[in-house]
Amino acid sequence: MAYQRAYFPVKTISLSQGYGSGSSTHKLSYAIDLAGIQNVYAPFDCKVTKLYQPIDTKNHANTVWLTSTKKVLSPNGYYGYLTISITHPSEISKMRIGTIYKQGEKICTTSKMTGNATGNHVHIEVAKGKDSGWVKKTNGKYSEYVILNKVKAEDYLFVDEDSTIKKKAYKNKNYNFIKESDITYVVKNVPSEPLNVRSTTSLNNTKNIIGGLTNGEEVIKFYDKGNMSYIYHYEMMGYVANRYLIKKV
Ligand SMILES: [Zn+2]
């Protein structure tokens, strides 16, 4: 079985707010807002692990936390559990702790806003691991609630291949939204197959060899480390010499 990829929960990526600046709840978090009226889908096989349903929905926003029920693969090479919080689901009253969703299953829509939002959008935050909840962060007089173990959504979620990236910049900063096809490479010109896949970057021993690749096989390339690339191929993750990887076109 291939490892399940973690995906953004919407099919149109139109960044209406990034993090590090802007309005409250985006200053100290890695929250991003994705604009538009659209369906929200389960980003991975997951279960509802926390619900926040304020009485005052004029000023506070419905939020659901979904935790992956197995390890999932991210575009930065992480393979582990993830939790996502999705703010503004209008259908929150139907949600229950423990409800299971299969990846791709529709969870809610972004058509009815709660909280003091100015336009239709979904507000998402991503965390490493299974812990769901908030932690209060403070900077001087300012404070906001931020998802526990926060990480950047664009580092941990793939954009689905049939999704559209409409707007990826916020305040002149481009956010690096990645589709799997953007980082798919083909093994080429290996003189004596197989191309060794190693658990470390060292080429000086055979103990770190965990598998092999042949010409024409495809890999996801996460990053380079010297002359080696950290890659994924089916259930294998490790390092290969990067001179044998050609970007798939
Ligand atoms: Zn937001």
Side-chain angles (χ1 to χ4, degrees), residues 2-247:
Y3 290 167
Q4 187 174 82
R5 277 62 158 168
Y7 287 116
F8 275 91
V10 290
K11 297 283 184 187
T12 301
I13 305 295
S14 182
L15 186 67
S16 57
Q17 194 169 178
Y19 45 77
S21 61
S23 74
S24 63
T25 74
H26 284 253
K27 282 195 182 80
L28 306 179
S29 69
Y30 288 135
I32 60 171
D33 288 348
L34 300 171
I37 296 174
Q38 52 180 329
N39 291 334
V40 178
Y41 302 98
F44 28 69
D45 291 347
C46 59
K47 68 176 175 204
V48 176
T49 46
K50 184 177 166 70
L51 289 165
Y52 175 65
Q53 192 179 7
I55 294 161
D56 171 16
T57 54
K58 272 211 174 81
N59 296 303
H60 300 281
N62 293 337
T63 301
V64 57
W65 283 253
L66 302 167
T67 299
S68 68
T69 51
K70 59 187 180 195
K71 290 181 175 185
V72 290
L73 188 67
S74 297
N76 64 355
Y78 174 76
Y79 178 60
Y81 288 88
L82 286 180
T83 299
I84 185 171
S85 68
I86 295 173
T87 298
H88 304 304
S90 49
E91 299 88 341
I92 199 162
S93 61
K94 292 179 217 148
M95 295 176 177
R96 297 287 176 269
I97 301 279
T99 300
I100 298 277
Y101 294 108
K102 293 295 278 181
Q103 184 176 48
E105 199 176 322
K106 186 184 156 187
I107 297 168
C108 60
T109 65
T110 60
S111 60
K112 260 194 196 162
M113 303 305 297
T114 62
N116 52 5
T118 50
N120 287 311
H121 71 269
V122 64
H123 169 111
I124 63 167
E125 296 186 41
V126 176
K128 244 165 136 167
K130 297 179 186 179
D131 292 335
S132 52
W134 278 328
V135 60
K136 195 175 184 179
K137 297 262 182 198
T138 303
N139 184 2
K141 275 188 191 165
Y142 177 77
S143 68
E144 79 185 46
Y145 283 90
V146 170
I147 196 168
L148 285 170
N149 309 317
K150 65 169 184 173
V151 291
K152 293 176 180 173
E154 70 276 21
D155 291 344
Y156 284 81
L157 304 177
F158 284 96
V159 175
D160 192 34
E161 288 301 319
D162 58 15
S163 291
T164 309
I165 301 173
K166 263 170 90 173
K167 189 172 177 288
K168 62 177 180 180
Y170 181 72
K171 294 204 169 174
N172 296 320
K173 179 186 182 280
N174 268 325
Y175 285 67
N176 192 25
F177 295 112
I178 294 171
K179 290 186 175 183
E180 184 171 331
S181 56
D182 297 333
I183 55 171
T184 299
Y185 284 69
V186 183
V187 176
K188 228 175 160 181
N189 302 325
V190 177
S192 65
E193 294 172 325
L195 171 63
N196 290 326
V197 180
R198 298 169 183 270
S199 59
T200 66
T201 54
S202 171
L203 295 167
N204 297 329
N205 65 72
T206 53
K207 281 184 196 145
N208 66 353
I209 295 173
I210 54 171
L213 296 168
T214 55
N215 287 314
E217 286 191 305
E218 293 182 6
V219 302
I220 296 176
K221 181 174 125 169
F222 301 112
Y223 53 83
D224 289 322
K225 209 171 175 183
N227 296 323
M228 304 295 276
S229 293
Y230 189 57
I231 61 99
Y232 163 83
H233 177 82
Y234 288 99
E235 292 192 335
M236 193 163 57
M237 293 175 80
Y239 296 93
V240 300
N242 53 27
R243 65 182 178 277
Y244 301 117
L245 299 180
I246 313 275
K247 175 86 175 65

